[in-house]
Amino acid sequence: MKVLKRWFSYESLLISLGIVAALLISTAIAQVDLNEVSVAQEYPEGIALGDTMVRQFAIEELVDFRALDSYNQPEWMDVLVENGTLPPVEERLPDVPYVYLEGGMSNGIGEYGGVWRGFSAVPTEGWNLCSNLTQGWFGINAIYGEQLVKSGPVFLRSDRVEPWPNLATGWEWSEDGLELTMNLIEGAKWSDGDPFDSEDVMFTWEDCILDENVTFWSDQTKFSINGEPVTLEAVDEYTVKWTFPEPFANYMLFNMDMLDFTVAPAHIGKQLHPRYNPDNDYISFTNSQPSDMLPAVTMGPWVPVEYQVDEFLVMRRNPYYWKVDEAGNQLPYIDEVTFEKGDSGLGRTLGTLAGSIDHTNLENPSSYVEATRRLQEEDAHFYIEWGPETLFFSLELNLSANLGVETERDEAMRGLFRDLRFRRALTHAIDREGVAQSIIRGPFLRPFPGG
């Protein structure tokens, strides 16, 4: 369940992020009298995820790579071009940019301007994309890093169960299915104006993923099939070639998405990596781009420009962002994204209800009733989307035979936990309906049809 501000164009943010309408599945809002609810209510007949059906498209109906007749930017950026601060917009874009097609946009072409106000309850550890440091989660990582492909909006595709193109514009299998040739976007630039090319991809592969001294989000294990390694080589400036130990391993494309293959800037990383800079060790390399080292270099739609540790983060539009809409408007639409920092995700919900934050996920059941009650007030400034039930609460049994065992009772309990018959009996015995209602009364939680 998501809470969103009414006055703000949430679609604009999502289009800017490159996932179009992936999260905009409008669903029916349960209007209930919270004082009278005593049992969980069934969904109305015929309604699964909500009152808006998910539309699916072939990928060519959603995105394209083509040159347009002209390009646009916010009016205030025209001044930066006129005074020589920036090159003209058409020079900052690739000759053939990434184009979002209007037919795949839930609300059509967007408008420039505005600030999206977010919240993060996780420290921003640093900006080094060649590491597993988090930029703060809560959406920050997603809009800072760009990857070869995007797997998040796959459900919008009607043609294939395959990631969307991103920095990789397309790919083609060899006849025997053992090689995959991948084309990269040509002429795109990092936020500091440095060209993006296969050097960045190979630096990410060789010096982030494969280097055992670097703690990255993925490693050679993730790019192996039955113990045999997958390999990657640069063919030319904008082409790379994968080689697989089994034919047509299409599923491996999903290992080239966010975090798994978020591309790091070689022109920054090579100056700091111990392989190229013997004066640096790996610990220094990991921490070489701290949270206050700004502006950070990115291929994303917004650039981190200001940060007050554990207080506030400001990200402003990337003048070199390489995606446009079908009308030639350089994305993103939104000028600025801010993240207030706090101790827990509950702060995001409280801020949204109060009007200082523009979006929250209702992940804590203790906030469900208050959010729904506030929605029913005449001056409610937000709406709620009841989405698919993907948030679940599970019972995890300690299956270790020895770790933490101190008494005979501990030993006996672990024996029970490790007995499949006991676990089966336990799952049949649990009153899921009762547990759901004891946590929060109402139509918010329901039994999970699994183990």
Short mmCIF file of all heavy atoms in Angstrom, two decimals, residues 215-235:
data_model
loop_
_atom_site.label_atom_id
_atom_site.label_comp_id
_atom_site.label_asym_id
_atom_site.label_seq_id
_atom_site.Cartn_x
_atom_site.Cartn_y
_atom_site.Cartn_z
N THR A 215 34.44 -5.60 -2.63
CA THR A 215 33.14 -6.11 -2.21
C THR A 215 32.07 -5.39 -3.03
O THR A 215 31.73 -4.25 -2.77
CB THR A 215 32.90 -5.87 -0.71
OG1 THR A 215 33.97 -6.44 0.03
CG2 THR A 215 31.59 -6.50 -0.28
N PHE A 216 31.57 -6.10 -4.04
CA PHE A 216 30.57 -5.56 -4.95
C PHE A 216 29.24 -6.28 -4.70
O PHE A 216 29.16 -7.21 -3.90
CB PHE A 216 31.04 -5.74 -6.40
CG PHE A 216 30.28 -4.92 -7.42
CD1 PHE A 216 30.34 -3.54 -7.40
CD2 PHE A 216 29.51 -5.54 -8.39
CE1 PHE A 216 29.65 -2.78 -8.34
CE2 PHE A 216 28.82 -4.80 -9.34
CZ PHE A 216 28.89 -3.41 -9.31
N TRP A 217 28.18 -5.82 -5.36
CA TRP A 217 26.86 -6.44 -5.17
C TRP A 217 26.78 -7.82 -5.82
O TRP A 217 25.91 -8.62 -5.49
CB TRP A 217 25.77 -5.54 -5.73
CG TRP A 217 25.72 -4.21 -5.05
CD1 TRP A 217 26.14 -3.01 -5.56
CD2 TRP A 217 25.23 -3.92 -3.73
NE1 TRP A 217 25.95 -1.99 -4.65
CE2 TRP A 217 25.39 -2.52 -3.51
CE3 TRP A 217 24.68 -4.70 -2.72
CZ2 TRP A 217 25.01 -1.90 -2.33
CZ3 TRP A 217 24.31 -4.07 -1.54
CH2 TRP A 217 24.47 -2.70 -1.34
N SER A 218 27.65 -8.10 -6.77
CA SER A 218 27.69 -9.43 -7.40
C SER A 218 29.15 -9.81 -7.62
O SER A 218 30.05 -8.98 -7.48
CB SER A 218 26.92 -9.43 -8.72
OG SER A 218 27.42 -8.44 -9.61
N ASP A 219 29.37 -11.07 -7.95
CA ASP A 219 30.74 -11.54 -8.19
C ASP A 219 30.70 -12.63 -9.26
O ASP A 219 29.67 -12.88 -9.88
CB ASP A 219 31.39 -12.04 -6.90
CG ASP A 219 30.55 -13.12 -6.20
OD1 ASP A 219 29.74 -13.78 -6.88
OD2 ASP A 219 30.70 -13.30 -4.98
N GLN A 220 31.84 -13.29 -9.46
CA GLN A 220 31.91 -14.31 -10.49
C GLN A 220 30.91 -15.44 -10.25
O GLN A 220 30.39 -16.04 -11.20
CB GLN A 220 33.33 -14.89 -10.55
CG GLN A 220 33.52 -15.96 -11.63
CD GLN A 220 33.48 -15.39 -13.04
OE1 GLN A 220 34.45 -14.83 -13.52
NE2 GLN A 220 32.35 -15.55 -13.71
N THR A 221 30.60 -15.71 -8.99
CA THR A 221 29.64 -16.77 -8.68
C THR A 221 28.30 -16.50 -9.33
O THR A 221 27.64 -17.41 -9.86
CB THR A 221 29.45 -16.89 -7.15
OG1 THR A 221 30.71 -17.14 -6.54
CG2 THR A 221 28.49 -18.02 -6.82
N LYS A 222 27.87 -15.26 -9.31
CA LYS A 222 26.59 -14.91 -9.91
C LYS A 222 26.64 -15.01 -11.42
O LYS A 222 25.62 -15.20 -12.08
CB LYS A 222 26.19 -13.48 -9.51
CG LYS A 222 24.74 -13.16 -9.77
CD LYS A 222 24.27 -12.07 -8.84
CE LYS A 222 22.75 -12.03 -8.76
NZ LYS A 222 22.26 -11.19 -7.69
N PHE A 223 27.83 -14.87 -11.97
CA PHE A 223 28.01 -14.97 -13.42
C PHE A 223 28.72 -16.28 -13.75
O PHE A 223 29.73 -16.30 -14.45
CB PHE A 223 28.79 -13.77 -13.93
CG PHE A 223 27.99 -12.49 -13.91
CD1 PHE A 223 28.05 -11.63 -12.83
CD2 PHE A 223 27.15 -12.16 -14.97
CE1 PHE A 223 27.30 -10.45 -12.81
CE2 PHE A 223 26.39 -11.00 -14.95
CZ PHE A 223 26.47 -10.14 -13.87
N SER A 224 28.18 -17.36 -13.21
CA SER A 224 28.67 -18.72 -13.50
C SER A 224 27.46 -19.62 -13.71
O SER A 224 26.38 -19.38 -13.16
CB SER A 224 29.53 -19.26 -12.36
OG SER A 224 30.69 -18.46 -12.18
N ILE A 225 27.64 -20.65 -14.50
CA ILE A 225 26.59 -21.64 -14.75
C ILE A 225 27.16 -23.01 -14.48
O ILE A 225 28.13 -23.43 -15.12
CB ILE A 225 26.07 -21.54 -16.20
CG1 ILE A 225 25.47 -20.14 -16.46
CG2 ILE A 225 25.03 -22.61 -16.48
CD1 ILE A 225 25.03 -19.92 -17.90
N ASN A 226 26.60 -23.70 -13.49
CA ASN A 226 27.09 -25.01 -13.08
C ASN A 226 28.59 -24.99 -12.80
O ASN A 226 29.32 -25.92 -13.16
CB ASN A 226 26.76 -26.07 -14.15
CG ASN A 226 25.28 -26.25 -14.35
OD1 ASN A 226 24.50 -26.17 -13.39
ND2 ASN A 226 24.86 -26.48 -15.59
N GLY A 227 29.03 -23.91 -12.17
CA GLY A 227 30.43 -23.79 -11.79
C GLY A 227 31.34 -23.29 -12.88
O GLY A 227 32.52 -23.02 -12.61
N GLU A 228 30.84 -23.13 -14.08
CA GLU A 228 31.67 -22.62 -15.18
C GLU A 228 31.43 -21.13 -15.35
O GLU A 228 30.28 -20.68 -15.41
CB GLU A 228 31.35 -23.36 -16.48
CG GLU A 228 31.68 -24.84 -16.45
CD GLU A 228 31.47 -25.48 -17.81
OE1 GLU A 228 32.02 -24.95 -18.80
OE2 GLU A 228 30.76 -26.50 -17.88
N PRO A 229 32.49 -20.35 -15.46
CA PRO A 229 32.33 -18.89 -15.49
C PRO A 229 31.79 -18.36 -16.82
O PRO A 229 32.07 -18.90 -17.89
CB PRO A 229 33.75 -18.38 -15.25
CG PRO A 229 34.63 -19.47 -15.77
CD PRO A 229 33.91 -20.75 -15.46
N VAL A 230 31.01 -17.30 -16.70
CA VAL A 230 30.61 -16.50 -17.85
C VAL A 230 31.71 -15.48 -18.09
O VAL A 230 32.32 -14.97 -17.14
CB VAL A 230 29.27 -15.79 -17.57
CG1 VAL A 230 28.91 -14.82 -18.69
CG2 VAL A 230 28.16 -16.80 -17.34
N THR A 231 32.01 -15.17 -19.34
CA THR A 231 33.05 -14.20 -19.63
C THR A 231 32.48 -13.01 -20.41
O THR A 231 31.42 -13.11 -21.03
CB THR A 231 34.20 -14.83 -20.45
OG1 THR A 231 33.70 -15.25 -21.72
CG2 THR A 231 34.81 -16.00 -19.70
N LEU A 232 33.18 -11.89 -20.34
CA LEU A 232 32.77 -10.67 -21.02
C LEU A 232 33.99 -10.00 -21.62
O LEU A 232 35.05 -9.93 -20.98
CB LEU A 232 32.09 -9.71 -20.04
CG LEU A 232 31.64 -8.35 -20.58
CD1 LEU A 232 30.55 -8.53 -21.63
CD2 LEU A 232 31.16 -7.45 -19.45
N GLU A 233 33.88 -9.53 -22.85
CA GLU A 233 34.98 -8.82 -23.51
C GLU A 233 34.43 -7.65 -24.30
O GLU A 233 33.28 -7.64 -24.73
CB GLU A 233 35.75 -9.76 -24.44
CG GLU A 233 34.90 -10.36 -25.55
CD GLU A 233 35.67 -11.32 -26.43
OE1 GLU A 233 36.62 -10.84 -27.11
OE2 GLU A 233 35.34 -12.53 -26.42
N ALA A 234 35.26 -6.63 -24.47
CA ALA A 234 34.89 -5.48 -25.28
C ALA A 234 35.23 -5.76 -26.74
O ALA A 234 36.35 -6.15 -27.06
CB ALA A 234 35.62 -4.24 -24.80
N VAL A 235 34.24 -5.58 -27.62
CA VAL A 235 34.46 -5.73 -29.05
C VAL A 235 34.96 -4.42 -29.64
O VAL A 235 35.91 -4.38 -30.42
CB VAL A 235 33.16 -6.18 -29.75
CG1 VAL A 235 33.37 -6.27 -31.26
CG2 VAL A 235 32.70 -7.52 -29.19
#
